[in-house]
Amino acid sequence: DVIIVPACETIRSTTLKLLEEFAANGGKLVFMGNAPKYVDAAASNEGVKLCEKATHIEFTRTDLLRELENYRTIDIRNSNGYYSENLVHHIRKDGDSMWLFVAQGKPSPNDDCSSKQAVKITVRGLWTPTLYNTLDGAITPIACTYIGGNTVIDYALWAHDSILLKLDPNPDAISPVIEAKKKALEHYRKNLTPMSNWSADQVVNIV
């Protein structure tokens, strides 16, 4: 769906051709930072021309995450809402399911005193997560919530810790907000008289 072209001085003509074809077929092309000024190490404006037709952003993490917001599958943040700076993840399709592995990507600041890191893992779509303990082999369900069509998992990691999750499709999952709206509508239909000026839609919308 998306190809990111990081800041570079030169680009191969074969790569440039593939990028042009990708964009022409409706793919999203994002250039970060400076566009290449050389093609096959020879001065050329072809890279700049393609950059002008594509999306061009600054070479920053914030700009990249904002640009890819609608394409990203996984979002991992600390409990304070800031993006985690030390975690890496790998996600893999397995039939209709997915496997998500999250691990430490940086050395622990203090091996003698491990501190808990509370994280919020958000996965696009509705899934039933199962925790696979890589230390003792235990397989257990893990709690989650459904918000805005996403699956949200709260978890605590320690130094050198990791988490392996299997995500199975759960199209019947209902978020707390939708559930509350349904209960409010049911209460309205049972308890309000026909003389009321409120409509069912109005009651649902204010929940």
Side-chain angles (χ1 to χ4, degrees):
D1 294 331
V2 185
I3 292 180
I4 309 299
V5 183
C8 53
E9 289 295 317
T10 185
I11 190 171
R12 291 187 178 92
S13 57
T14 52
T15 302
L16 187 65
K17 181 180 179 181
L18 290 173
L19 292 176
E20 290 172 340
E21 292 175 355
F22 174 78
N25 289 324
K28 184 177 179 66
L29 193 58
V30 179
F31 278 80
M32 291 185 69
N34 297 327
K37 298 178 181 179
Y38 301 88
V39 175
D40 294 332
S44 171
N45 62 354
E46 292 303 311
V48 175
K49 285 182 179 180
L50 181 58
C51 177
E52 291 173 348
K53 297 178 183 178
T55 300
H56 187 204
I57 62 175
E58 295 296 323
F59 197 90
T60 67
R61 181 187 186 189
T62 301
D63 286 341
L64 179 61
L65 290 175
R66 183 186 301 117
E67 193 63 40
L68 299 181
E69 182 64 30
N70 294 329
Y71 299 88
R72 295 168 58 220
T73 303
I74 305 296
D75 182 275
I76 304 177
R77 300 176 185 246
N78 295 320
S79 57
N80 60 9
Y82 287 97
Y83 286 112
S84 63
E85 298 285 346
N86 60 308
L87 301 176
V88 294
H89 78 270
H90 176 75
I91 190 165
R92 178 175 295 181
K93 290 278 290 181
D94 184 4
D96 293 331
S97 302
M98 295 195 301
W99 291 90
L100 172 64
F101 180 67
V102 181
Q104 301 289 343
K106 293 182 179 180
S108 172
N110 189 342
D111 289 331
D112 297 323
C113 183
S114 178
S115 58
K116 182 174 70 173
Q117 180 183 7
V119 296
K120 187 180 294 292
I121 303 172
T122 302
V123 186
R124 187 180 298 276
L126 303 176
W127 306 90
T128 297
T130 302
L131 176 64
Y132 280 66
N133 191 313
T134 56
L135 292 179
D136 60 17
I139 302 174
T140 57
I142 185 171
C144 70
T145 55
Y146 300 103
I147 302 175
N150 298 321
T151 303
V152 181
I153 303 163
D154 291 298
Y155 196 74
L157 291 166
W158 299 82
H160 313 296
D161 205 356
S162 63
I163 178 174
L164 176 62
L165 297 171
K166 185 181 182 185
L167 303 165
D168 293 307
N170 187 3
D172 298 325
I174 300 177
S175 74
V177 174
I178 295 177
E179 185 67 27
K181 288 183 177 182
K182 287 187 174 182
K183 289 181 178 179
L185 180 57
E186 182 179 352
H187 175 79
Y188 165 80
R189 287 171 174 166
K190 288 182 178 179
N191 298 286
L192 270 67
T193 66
M195 297 297 293
S196 171
N197 292 324
W198 288 87
S199 69
D201 289 338
Q202 287 174 309
V203 173
V204 171
N205 288 332
I206 65 173
V207 174

